[in-house]
Each structure stands twice: as C-alpha cells, then as structure tokens.
C-alpha cells in the first residue's frame, strides 16, 4: 500500500498484534493501526475497512484465516451483536492477562510509576451467572412485537434475548413472566423518539447468599393502575424467593435508566444480602457491587492493604450504602463515610444499625465538598490515619485530593473501577507526598473489559 493509504472499503489481510482498551484487536498495516471488533491477539484475518482516519481506522472481520490459540467459541449465541460481553470469544487466562496488562500499562504510562509492586490479578472461580443485578430495556421491533433484551453496542436498538449467561438464571423466569404481563395487558413499551409508552426497563436484583429476589419496573408515568399491579403481583408470585416488587418513576427524556421516586407494589423496597458477616439492605437505587463473590475478595484485599490495628480513624469516601465502611469498622477505632446520594447515606446508617455497628458515622454530600468543609471546621483536628476512596469512573476530584494531602493519612487505599483515572490520581498523589507501594487487579466482571484495582499509597516520609 503506497504511503499506507488505507481507505474505506479496502479489503486487507492482517495479523492481530495487540488489544485495545475496549477489547478490540489491533493490527498494523505499514504502521497504520486498525482497530477490529471481535479480533483476538494472534488471529490472521481478512478484514474490511469501515472507517479510515489519518493515523488509524476501524475494520470488521470478513474471514478468519488462522485463529489465535486464545480464540474460543462464545457461550452466548448473540455475544457479537450484544456487546455486553466484549471478551467472551477469548479464553479466560488471556482475559486475565489482558486486564492485568491494561492496569499495569496505565500505572506506568499515565501514572509514570514503574517501581511499584504489582501483585498477580485475582481471577474469578465462577465465570458465568455471577451478576446479582440486571437492567433490561423494553421496546418493540419493526413488526410491533414487544422485545426485551439488551442494547446493541453504541445504539439503543434492543436485541431480544431470553437468557443472559453472565446474569443470575432466575432472570430467565422473571423476563418470561414480565414480558407476558406486558403483552397480555397490551401495555405499550416506552418509545424514546415520541416520549410515549409506559414500560422503560425491567430491573432485577438477587441476593447472592439470601437468594432474595427484587423486581422493579421503570415506568414513564406517576403510577400504574391497581388492577395492573395486582396482576403483576399474581404473576411474579411464581418466581422463587420474590421479596420485593416496585415501580420506579422516570418521565424524563434521558439515557439515565432510573428516576429518584419509588413506589412499593409488594413486600419491602429492599432485599437483604451479606458481604462476609455484614448484612446489607439493598434498594433498587442502591449502589452495590454486582459480583458479591469477588466483592468479598476485593474488600478483603482493601482490608489487608489498610492493615488496621484497631486504633485508627478511617475515612471512607464515596461510601455508597456503607459496604466498605462497615467491612472496615470491626478493625478500626472509628470510620467516617461520605456519600453524595442521600438515600444511600440513609441506607448506610440503617446497615450500621442492623449490624450493631456503633463506630461508623455517615455524611451526605459530594466528597470533594464535605471533606474539605469538615476538615476546615475542625481546624485540622480531623486528621485520618487511613483514607479509603472508591470513586466513580471519573476518579477523584482534585479538590478532594488536596484535602487528603492536608489530612496527612499514613495510608490511602484506592479502590478503582477505571485504570486510567486511577493512574492519573496516583500520579497526582505521588507528586504531593505519597508513594504507590503496591497494587492488584481484581476481576469483578468476567467476559467484559472492566476491571477493579486496589492500590496502597503511603506517605513518603514513613
């Protein structure tokens, strides 16, 4: 190819020599990078270029000439269309290596840190049916038939499905029952273009240890007729261990799945489950890790890194319903949790109460606002021995990082769901008095590109 003039619609033969951040294969044609969905490192392929930019492009697989030793047949028949499991066509050992390399690359390339010890990635024992939460959009197909499933990657086109292989199998029964309820009552699914229609999503949660089941319908209305509620209850009574049926009100023109208002239809507005010996109440709006088995490993690792002796003051920022806070409380003198969602903060207080934990306090507000304000009001007396942060994907606000440095904790345990923002924040902390001692990736989300990481930072003068 003259001067590597790769053009749209070109058919080229390539070798996959790397993997991108979203699990796509990467090939190079005379130095020009092509990103290819569903390709595996080691594949020899014939591909068609579908988009060509100046320095890189995108292609799709036309033919597999020689399959990589790491390529496997996906268990799910719609894995390629769905996009929810970006790595199901790759064997699990290679998935773990990919995630481990992804974290290490971010820490070294973005964070500029090459001397920290990376412990081996912590893999999953159960690769399928591990998720305790699912969100299924409801729509109609081109023939007007009700469909329930998942959005195709980067679209809002719903791919019909009856079984998701990474979700709890009880969802198969729930979807069957709720779809029949919608069809037989002639209920119109929500239409994003017109803003009309009633049912938007079916949201489920299942207690990993308790097996308690929750079903929440997200609706585009203020309520649902009582006759429909009664019918929904009668139908869902056939689902084992059903404990909670509710409606979530979302009348907004938004991609956000759930609104803030809940209406109880049956049972409580929560189910219960355990992490270790700690019991939690989980509502439809609660943030709660979707893989409880791995979450226990994740939190045990955070507890190990914190290395509490029993006399420490611990701050848990972005604490949600208090999962990490209460996990740490038995080993600490005092734990303070901060969370921006008011209902989650109330849930955290309730969870402390039902577990008879009296050394944990929770405050509502953005961590980047609450912590600096409380620290200033205390005139510096609220210094922490250990700070645990578990921020959203965007990472920590710089205002919060500034306050952490002022509070002078001996250790910062950073739990992250995004290696890139973790690396950015670790670099900032490294430039301001802290050293990354060690870190470890934990696979919470088998078959997907997502990965959690626990990192330990210590003051450099220790």
């Amino acid at each position: 190819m003259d001067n590597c003039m790769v053009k749209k619609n070109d058919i080229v033969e390539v070798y996959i020599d790397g993997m991108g951040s979203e699990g796509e294969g990467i090939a190079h044609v005379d130095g020009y990078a092509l990103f290819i969905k569903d390709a595996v490192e080691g594949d020899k392929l014939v591909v068609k270029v579908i988009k060509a930019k100046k320095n890189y492009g995108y292609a799709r697989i036309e033919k597999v000439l020689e399959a990589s030793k790491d390529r496997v047949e996906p268990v799910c028949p719609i894995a390629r269309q769905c996009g929810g499991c970006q790595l199901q066509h790759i064997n699990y050992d290679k998935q773990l290596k990919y995630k481990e390399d992804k974290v290490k690359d971010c820490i070294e390339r973005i964070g500029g840190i090459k001397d920290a010890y990376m412990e081996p990635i912590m893999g999953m024992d159960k690769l399928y049916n591990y998720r305790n939460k699912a969100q299924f959009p409801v729509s109609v197909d081109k023939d007007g038939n009700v469909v329930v499933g998942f959005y195709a990657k980067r679209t809002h086109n719903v791919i019909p499905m009856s079984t998701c292989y990474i979700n709890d199998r009880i969802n198969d029964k729930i979807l069957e029952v709720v779809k029949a309820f919608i069809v037989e009552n002639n209920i119109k699914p929500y239409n994003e273009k017109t803003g009309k229609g009633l049912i938007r999503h079916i949201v489920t949660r299942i207690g990993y240890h308790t097996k308690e089941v929750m079903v929440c319908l997200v609706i585009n209305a203020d309520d649902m007729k009582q006759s429909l509620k009664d019918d929904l209850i009668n139908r869902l009574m056939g689902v084992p261990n059903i404990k909670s049926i509710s409606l979530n009100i979302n009348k907004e023109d938004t991609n956000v799945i759930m609104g803030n208002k809940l209406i109880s239809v049956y049972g409580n507005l929560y189910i219960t489950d355990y992490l270790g010996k700690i019991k939690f109440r989980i509502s439809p709006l609660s943030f709660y890790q979707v893989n409880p088995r791995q979450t226990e490993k994740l939190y045990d690792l955070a507890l190990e890194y914190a290395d509490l002796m029993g006399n420490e003051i611990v701050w848990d920022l972005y604490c949600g319903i208090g999962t990490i806070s209460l996990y740490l409380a038995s080993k600490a003198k005092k734990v303070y949790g901060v969370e921006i969602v008011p209902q989650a903060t109330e849930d955290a207080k309730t969870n402390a109460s039902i577990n008879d934990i009296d050394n944990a306090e929770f405050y509502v507000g953005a961590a980047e606002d609450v912590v600096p304000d409380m620290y200033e009001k205390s005139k510096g007396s609220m210094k922490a021995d250990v700070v645990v942060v578990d921020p959203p994907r965007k990472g920590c606000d710089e205002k919060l990082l500034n306050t952490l440095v002022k509070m002078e904790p001996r250790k910062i345990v950073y739990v992250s769901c995004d290696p890139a923002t973790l690396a950015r924040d670790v670099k900032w902390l490294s430039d301001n008095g802290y050293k990354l001692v060690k870190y470890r990736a934990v696979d919470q989300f088998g078959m997907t590109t997502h990965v959690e990481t626990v990192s330990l930072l210590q003051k450099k003068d220790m």
Side-chain angles (χ1 to χ4, degrees):
M1 288 194 171
D2 187 33
N3 295 324
C4 195
M5 293 297 291
V6 175
K7 302 183 297 296
K8 184 178 179 181
N9 296 323
D10 280 350
I11 304 294
V12 293
E13 187 174 313
V14 299
Y15 176 77
I16 304 301
D17 55 18
M19 291 180 67
S21 62
E22 295 187 19
E24 68 276 57
I26 303 174
H28 291 88
V29 181
D30 294 334
Y32 184 87
L34 281 174
F35 293 85
I36 305 157
K37 182 179 179 292
D38 300 316
V40 183
E41 189 172 0
D43 276 345
K44 291 182 180 178
L45 309 168
V46 175
V47 301
K48 182 176 183 177
V49 180
I50 56 177
K51 185 182 288 187
K53 295 180 177 289
K54 184 178 180 181
N55 298 314
Y56 64 94
Y58 299 89
R60 69 165 179 254
I61 298 173
E62 295 288 299
K63 184 179 181 181
V64 177
L65 297 175
E66 186 178 321
S68 165
K69 63 180 175 56
D70 296 312
R71 178 178 283 279
V72 296
E73 188 65 27
V75 171
C76 176
I78 61 169
R80 286 192 67 177
Q81 302 154 266
C82 174
C85 291
Q86 305 91 352
L87 305 181
Q88 208 178 106
H89 60 293
I90 302 174
N91 74 50
Y92 190 58
D93 285 344
K94 182 65 174 179
Q95 289 185 34
L96 292 179
K97 181 70 165 57
Y98 162 74
K99 294 182 183 186
E100 193 170 57
D101 289 348
K102 182 176 177 177
V103 173
K104 190 173 192 288
D105 175 68
C106 285
I107 292 293
E108 294 186 352
R109 181 174 49 83
I110 300 172
I113 299 167
K114 297 185 178 180
D115 59 348
Y117 174 56
M118 184 179 191
E119 296 191 271
I121 188 169
M122 194 176 290
M124 291 168 50
D125 301 318
K126 183 180 180 183
L127 303 183
Y128 295 98
N129 307 125
Y130 62 82
R131 285 184 61 97
N132 65 357
K133 179 186 178 184
Q135 301 173 139
F136 304 98
V138 183
S139 187
V140 293
D141 63 18
K142 57 182 173 34
D143 299 319
N145 299 311
V146 173
V147 291
V148 180
F150 291 116
Y151 293 129
K153 191 174 180 64
R154 292 194 176 91
T155 78
H156 271 210
N157 300 323
V158 177
I159 299 172
M161 50 75 61
S162 56
T163 297
C164 173
Y165 289 84
I166 63 171
N167 276 303
D168 193 292
R169 292 301 300 273
I170 196 70
N171 284 292
D172 299 357
K173 176 67 173 176
I174 293 170
L175 294 190
E176 177 189 334
V177 169
V178 177
K179 183 178 177 181
F181 163 76
I182 293 169
V183 171
E184 292 170 23
N185 283 288
N186 197 30
I187 298 171
K188 302 298 181 187
Y190 177 71
N191 185 308
E192 291 182 348
K193 294 179 180 176
T194 66
K196 306 294 184 182
L198 182 63
I199 307 289
R200 299 177 69 134
H201 278 79
I202 303 165
V203 178
T204 67
R205 287 182 182 266
I206 294 92
Y208 175 74
H209 291 288
T210 63
K211 307 303 179 188
E212 294 180 2
V213 175
M214 168 191 292
V215 177
C216 178
L217 300 189
V218 183
I219 63 171
N220 178 42
D222 292 317
D223 204 342
M224 186 186 282
K225 292 179 182 178
Q226 188 59 49
S227 58
L228 290 177
K229 292 181 188 176
D230 292 341
D231 186 39
L232 181 63
I233 293 170
N234 288 334
R235 291 172 184 264
L236 285 172
M237 285 300 97
V239 175
N241 299 314
I242 187 81
K243 297 294 182 184
S244 175
I245 305 172
S246 62
L247 304 177
N248 176 264
I249 312 307
N250 186 355
K251 296 163 63 179
E252 302 298 319
D253 178 13
T254 176
N255 288 334
V256 176
I257 291 175
M258 302 189 81
N260 294 319
K261 183 180 178 183
L262 291 168
I263 297 174
S264 179
V265 174
Y266 169 82
N268 297 310
L269 274 174
Y270 61 83
I271 58 171
T272 60
D273 202 12
Y274 289 83
L275 286 173
K277 296 179 180 179
I278 310 296
K279 183 178 182 179
F280 292 95
R281 287 185 180 179
I282 309 157
S283 80
L285 297 175
S286 296
F287 172 77
Y288 190 77
Q289 293 275 9
V290 300
N291 187 341
R293 181 179 292 191
Q294 288 299 100
T295 299
E296 291 178 350
K297 295 181 183 179
L298 184 78
Y299 290 176
D300 282 342
L301 183 60
L303 190 60
E304 175 191 324
Y305 279 16
D307 192 24
L308 301 175
M309 298 291 107
N311 58 350
E312 294 92 348
I313 304 297
V314 179
W315 281 81
D316 176 18
L317 311 182
Y318 310 96
C319 71
I321 62 172
T323 46
I324 295 181
S325 302
L326 301 182
Y327 219 77
L328 298 174
S330 65
K331 302 290 186 180
K333 179 180 179 181
K334 187 78 174 184
V335 178
Y336 296 101
V338 181
E339 168 58 42
I340 194 170
V341 180
Q343 183 56 54
T345 309
E346 291 305 311
D347 288 343
K349 293 175 181 177
T350 299
N351 288 327
S353 177
I354 64 177
N355 287 283
D356 296 322
I357 295 172
D358 59 8
N359 62 332
E361 292 182 18
F362 297 95
Y363 300 90
V364 65
E368 57 267 26
D369 295 328
V370 171
V371 177
D373 182 60
M374 292 179 68
Y375 181 74
E376 292 300 325
K377 285 180 178 176
S378 76
K379 296 181 179 179
S381 67
M382 294 188 72
K383 288 187 178 181
D385 297 302
V386 178
V387 171
V388 178
V389 292
D390 186 7
R393 294 195 183 281
K394 67 178 182 178
C396 294
D397 188 280
E398 191 170 319
K399 181 180 177 182
L400 175 64
L401 293 176
N402 266 308
T403 304
L404 292 192
V405 171
K406 287 181 183 177
M407 293 171 76
E408 298 184 305
R410 292 183 293 104
K411 298 175 185 175
I412 298 173
V413 178
Y414 194 133
V415 181
S416 169
C417 60
D418 188 296
T421 56
L422 166 67
R424 178 203 68 201
D425 292 348
V426 164
K427 177 176 174 54
W428 193 97
L429 289 164
S430 297
D431 291 340
N432 288 273
Y434 283 84
K435 177 181 175 62
L436 178 62
V437 178
K438 58 183 175 179
Y439 59 106
R440 188 173 194 178
V442 180
D443 187 19
Q444 293 272 100
F445 317 102
M447 308 299 146
T448 80
T449 58
H450 303 297
V451 60
E452 296 271 334
T453 310
V454 182
S455 302
L456 172 63
L457 297 103
Q458 289 184 347
K459 278 183 66 65
K460 287 181 178 178
D461 57 7
M462 284 181 62

